[in-house]
Amino acid sequence: MTVRAPSLDVHRISRRSLGAIATGRADADDLRLLRAGRRSQLLLVIRALLDRVDGSEQRAWRLLCRVEREAPDAVEVVLSDPAVMAWSLRLLRRMAGSAPLTKTTAPLWADLGQFQALAAAAALHAGVPAVVRVPAHRGMVWMPGAGVAGPVARRRWSEAEVRVGRRGAVVRGETAFVRLPRTATATAPGWRPLLPVRPSPGSAPAPSSGAAPVVRLDTVTPHRDFTRYPRSPGRMGERRLRVWQDRIAGAYDVLERESPDEARAVATVVRVLVPRPFRTARGGLVASASSADAFGAVTLSLPYDATQTAAVLVHEARHQQLNALLGLVPLVRAADDRPGTAVPRLHYAPWRSDPRPVLGLLHGVFAFAGVARFWRRHRTRVTGTEALRADFEFALLREQVLEGVGSLATDDDLTEAGRLFVAAVVEDVRGWLGDDVHAEAGRLARHYCALRRSVWRVRHLEVERSVADGFAAAWTAGRAASPLPPVTLRPRPDLIRLDTFGPSARYLLSSPKRFFRGYRQAETAGDPARLAEYATVAGDAERAALHHAAWAARDPEDAEAWIGAALALPVRGAAAETLLARPELVAAVRRAVTARDAPTPTPFQLATWLTT
């Protein structure tokens, strides 16, 4: 098969390109290089699979090569389907006996049979006559880059025949047949295509930009799920489809007007959107994800407006770029490159509730730096509540990214290229420190960052029991506290709770009527934890203090109650700062004092003692 992409020996990233990608200023050539690298990886994986198969899979490959000679663009449509990369990598791991990243119920013959599906789809796109036997799952036949046909059988797994002629194609199974439309995106009985999303006029990049085809919605591909396959096709009604199209078209418009660099990146690397089964964004947040196995695919719940859609696309396009870059240049040392038996460190990632390894932290820093850059520009183009919302998102992410890169700088697992990459991100983000934000948005962002930091510490950091007992003995004896001790990271995912402060802050800024309606409902319910949060978000320090005190009295072991109380203080002294900086120590000593049958001190009493 002829490979029209550059040969592997030219997939090299210059220092200039590395810096341009790190700061979101990648040009068309940089982005094309990332795409070419992923395409080469796909071809290498397929080559490795071919070395392990024979018979019908080899015949399918020969058909694919024939189609490539006659209509290379048709093969490119098939290979550029993100699900093809997902299928090939999953199958290679399966055949190599390595630990699978996804769960599957597919028999091996059906997994291998997708080679024939690739050839059949290429022949369909090119109009090259062919007859191919392909697998069918619950009677549905996958045509990569196009959609699925069926049902043509009733059994869980069966075979079907795809017959392609110059005038069209037919998929015939055990119980039925489907006549495919000449245009793959057209609808027809039994045919479920990938649904094109048409950006507004003028928003699509020019062909010379090297951009990928217009993004499509995938509700049908069996490999569209990042954790398990095969998936049966879902359905999307016309009304729902129009909502998605409007959101995405509006997002393209926003990016093209305000963030042309990010618009170019999104158009180049995001090809398929997989809707998730959530009705809409909850509390201003969208559930979205990308996978290194499926370059070009993004799964997401429905954003609540075009601006949020744009931010999500920027975020996931950053993940896609970094995944592609990591395939060309190592930014993080591999496990076998670490000295001795060194265990990878876990870090605080300000946007996550769980500790993250260096690669996860790097992904977060790069992705959220891109989103912060988007909000930084957007906030200058809007007014009113939209400007407040944008100021909050920018201020929040600016602080979180800088904290994240601070942790990265201390990790020895970054390679030289990784350090250059992170340094470029840092230089870019530090240039934003002089940007002023609205006072209310800034207050909420600072509070939110401090809250997440302290709560993360009290969940995942521990003081050795003997050390805590020593502090407890000193407290009960009236002696001075020793110097603050080191801590041990012990992840406790069981302690993680749903974040509600962020959504509440976003509601106050973007929909104050909705926020205060929720506040009134909380007052009726009388839950001190919810009331404490609402009062804090509203900036009512007096009520926040009262409700936090009631919360702590109700749940004396709940560290979040007294962390929130310390944060709600109009002026925080040294003791409050110690409590926020070392809440895990305060909690551990408090438990140790209680275990000695001594009167239990308040967290603020202990923090005062630890400070003096």
Side-chain angles (χ1 to χ4, degrees), residues 142-373:
W142 177 37
M143 303 294 283
V148 298
V152 296
R154 294 190 181 92
R155 288 189 293 151
R156 184 178 181 85
W157 290 101
S158 61
E159 277 195 320
E161 178 188 85
V162 178
R163 185 175 293 270
V164 182
R166 294 293 182 185
R167 297 184 177 180
V170 175
V171 178
R172 190 177 301 275
E174 296 174 336
T175 61
F177 70 91
V178 173
R179 192 173 300 278
L180 302 184
R182 291 187 179 182
T183 303
T185 56
T187 57
W191 174 242
R192 302 186 192 181
L194 299 178
L195 301 171
V197 179
R198 299 172 180 85
S200 299
S203 65
S208 61
S209 69
V214 171
V215 69
R216 293 177 291 175
L217 291 178
D218 183 358
T219 61
V220 298
T221 299
H223 293 269
R224 68 189 185 276
D225 194 303
F226 295 158
T227 59
R228 63 186 177 92
Y229 75 97
R231 288 285 308 276
S232 296
R235 292 188 179 275
M236 180 175 290
E238 286 297 322
R239 183 175 179 181
R240 189 69 166 174
L241 174 59
R242 285 196 297 272
V243 173
W244 275 94
Q245 289 176 329
D246 288 346
R247 293 281 197 281
I248 297 165
Y252 271 71
D253 282 341
V254 170
L255 290 173
E256 194 72 14
R257 288 194 310 268
E258 301 176 6
S259 301
D261 290 338
E262 301 294 352
R264 178 169 53 246
V266 168
T268 303
V269 303
V270 178
R271 300 179 179 183
V272 166
L273 299 178
V274 180
R276 297 183 72 165
F278 298 107
R279 292 184 60 85
T280 190
R282 291 187 57 192
L285 299 177
V286 172
S288 68
S290 296
S291 170
D293 283 2
F295 179 68
V298 171
T299 177
L300 74 165
S301 56
L302 180 65
Y304 65 80
D305 65 9
T307 304
Q308 189 185 47
T309 307
V312 171
L313 291 177
V314 168
H315 178 97
E316 297 302 338
R318 285 290 184 109
H319 284 305
Q320 299 280 0
Q321 291 174 72
L322 187 54
N323 283 330
L325 181 63
L326 288 166
L328 300 177
V329 57
L331 303 180
V332 177
R333 288 198 297 177
D336 53 4
D337 288 338
R338 297 190 188 102
T341 57
V343 177
R345 289 175 56 192
L346 295 177
H347 298 271
Y348 169 55
W351 42 84
R352 296 278 301 219
S353 297
D354 56 332
R356 301 293 288 164
V358 63
L359 181 58
L361 182 59
L362 178 62
H363 260 284
V365 162
F366 181 57
F368 284 109
V371 182
R373 192 167 181 252

Side-chain angles (χ1 to χ4, degrees), residues 497-515:
R497 297 197 295 231
L498 180 67
D499 168 46
T500 55
F501 186 93
S504 294
R506 291 180 174 95
Y507 281 140
L508 175 66
L509 297 173
S510 61
S511 182
K513 289 184 179 180
R514 184 172 183 175
F515 171 83

